[in-house]
Amino acid sequence: MTVQSVCVYCGSSAGNNELFGQEAAKLGALLYQLGWKLVYGGGTTGLMGSVASAAMGVRRDGRVHGIIPDALVEKEREPCSDDDGLNEQLSMTVDNHKGSTPLSRACGETTVVSDMHTRKRMMAKESDAFVAMPGGYGTFEEIMECITWSQLGIHNKPIVLFNIDGFYDSLLAFIRNSIDNGFISESNGKIVQVADTAQGVIDKIVQYNAPEGRFNLNWADECEDPRH
């Protein structure tokens, strides 16, 4: 398939495993090398900042578009203007994260929107594939919505869990349990692909084939169809 842009969902905190940030940077660097645009949640802290800054490349000429609700933008803190300031933000933990984030051109272009629904719809429309790295409630909600949209036939775009150091093992066990108990079909279980390396994520996207057995519903009356 032809890929021009990839949406990455991930935590705005760094987590407590150094591999998370390292692998986020590797994925961002690969997106830069491929010339693919990164679409992400607009934060400059934690894993969000790691993947975005890496996708910008050392010359800061990458294609990165952050989309963030106004309520999550830090108004009182100055955007970081050097690498030291950015590195401090990338290492932010959940214990010292207050929910908002400063903006920075080091992490690409940013569009500020009014609400979460607008953010998610814009991210979906701009993306040819979806990837979930480690994260919390927001990451889980966002990737599960993309999975549900695929099952309902709203889109057929690749969906990949970046299972760094087994982070998503428990979610994969949950999906398997739902299949075994008759709530998800075997074919729809294949909507979600899994990779444990950055290159593996890219390979899964390129090789993705939407499984048969998804619902074939008519979404033509949707005001804004995320397939387009």
Side-chain angles (χ1 to χ4, degrees), residues 79-152:
C80 62
S81 57
D82 54 37
D83 288 339
D84 288 339
L86 182 60
N87 288 336
E88 178 184 350
Q89 290 172 204
L90 302 187
S91 62
M92 185 173 289
T93 67
V94 68
D95 293 322
N96 58 21
H97 197 307
K98 304 304 180 183
S100 59
T101 180
L103 304 182
S104 172
R105 290 297 296 272
C107 291
E109 299 293 331
T110 305
T111 297
V112 179
V113 298
S114 60
D115 54 67
M116 293 290 284
H117 294 294
T118 302
R119 176 204 218 180
K120 291 192 293 182
R121 189 174 286 274
M122 286 184 66
M123 291 172 75
K125 286 183 66 177
E126 287 201 17
S127 304
D128 298 320
F130 304 100
V131 175
M133 294 196 309
Y137 289 138
T139 301
F140 304 154
E141 186 266 340
E142 288 164 331
I143 197 63
M144 292 306 294
E145 184 170 57
C146 290
I147 295 168
T148 302
W149 283 351
S150 180
Q151 179 179 254
L152 294 175

